[in-house]
């Protein structure tokens, strides 16, 4: 019975996330007048372009995930409120889990390391939000959120809220390193 309730809860959470994805629109950005007067400095880093969609599919296959939904790049950007003008590519998926929250995997190639830091901040805020929500009713998801983190390597950023965290991070670092 507990497994059935967990499964129904997971499916409900996944449905709600997909509904948010479907309703997401373009967010208007308001320019920061102070930022216009400040010189910006970005580091140029030699990186190999990684096909994030292929990497996402590899993570699904390698971890044996069967019940998942791929998330399109534009939906990832709007759902996670990523700075769209600083994202070169994005891919990811949500998958059912044993907890109330679905597994969330987000892979991003940012324009530069400064943009990668901004993306990492947004994804870290999402992971913190999951932990805050799970604290009141889902100890399994809370523990998972506390044991997962956002990984940044050069211009690549990954959110791996998954029971397969270690394997996914290893594959991510191998692909982008």
């Amino acid at each position: 019975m507990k497994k059935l309730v967990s499964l129904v809860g997971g499916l409900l959470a996944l449905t709600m996330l997909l509904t948010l994805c479907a309703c997401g629109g373009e967010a208007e950005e308001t320019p920061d007048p102070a930022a216009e007067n400040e010189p910006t400095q970005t580091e140029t880093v030699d990186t190999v372009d990684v096909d994030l969609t292929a990497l996402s599919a590899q993570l699904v296959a390698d971890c044996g995930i069967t019940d998942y939904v791929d998330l399109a790049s534009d939906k990832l950007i709007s759902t996670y409120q990523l700075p769209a003008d600083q994202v070169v590519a994005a891919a990811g998926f949500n998958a059912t889990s044993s907890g109330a929250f679905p597994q969330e995997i987000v892979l991003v190639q940012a324009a530069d390391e400064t943009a990668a830091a901004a993306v990492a901040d947004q994804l870290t805020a999402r992971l913190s939000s999951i932990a805050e929500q799970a604290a009141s009713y889902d100890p399994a998801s809370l523990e998972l959120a506390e044991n997962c983190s956002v990984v940044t390597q050069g211009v690549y950023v990954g959110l791996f809220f998954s029971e397969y965290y270690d394997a996914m991070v290893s594959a991510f670092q191998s692909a982008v390193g």
Side-chain angles (χ1 to χ4, degrees), residues 64-177:
I65 297 172
T66 57
D67 192 10
Y68 68 96
V69 175
D70 282 320
L71 300 174
S73 180
D74 60 333
K75 295 301 179 190
L76 286 168
I77 290 169
S78 65
T79 300
Y80 292 92
Q81 300 175 351
L82 303 177
D85 60 331
Q86 298 176 9
V87 173
V88 174
F93 62 90
N94 288 345
T96 58
S97 69
S98 58
F101 291 86
Q103 297 177 62
E104 295 183 30
I105 288 63
V106 179
L107 310 171
V108 176
Q109 179 184 1
D112 54 42
E113 288 188 358
T114 302
V119 168
D121 288 345
Q122 284 300 111
L123 295 179
T124 299
R126 172 60 185 151
L127 192 56
S128 295
S129 174
I130 292 170
E132 288 172 19
Q133 293 173 34
S136 62
Y137 68 92
D138 186 11
S141 293
L142 173 60
E143 182 179 358
L144 184 61
E146 290 173 340
N147 292 325
C148 294
S149 64
V150 173
V151 178
T152 303
Q153 189 163 333
V155 297
Y156 291 95
V157 183
L159 166 64
F160 304 96
F161 176 67
S162 173
E163 58 199 64
Y164 304 105
Y165 174 82
D166 292 330
M168 289 183 176
V169 168
S170 178
F172 174 75
Q173 290 174 330
S174 292
V176 302

Side-chain angles (χ1 to χ4, degrees), residues 33-44:
E36 291 177 6
N37 297 329
E38 295 177 9
T40 58
Q41 194 172 15
T42 55
E43 295 181 31
T44 304

Side-chain angles (χ1 to χ4, degrees), residues 13-77:
L14 182 60
T15 302
M16 290 175 17
L17 182 64
L18 292 175
T19 301
L20 287 173
C21 288
C23 295
E26 296 279 332
E28 281 190 36
E29 292 186 26
T30 56
D32 181 7
E36 291 177 6
N37 297 329
E38 295 177 9
T40 58
Q41 194 172 15
T42 55
E43 295 181 31
T44 304
V45 178
D46 292 332
T47 60
V48 175
D49 283 334
V50 175
D51 183 346
L52 296 179
T53 303
L55 179 56
S56 179
Q58 176 191 338
L59 295 176
V60 167
D62 289 352
C63 295
I65 297 172
T66 57
D67 192 10
Y68 68 96
V69 175
D70 282 320
L71 300 174
S73 180
D74 60 333
K75 295 301 179 190
L76 286 168
I77 290 169

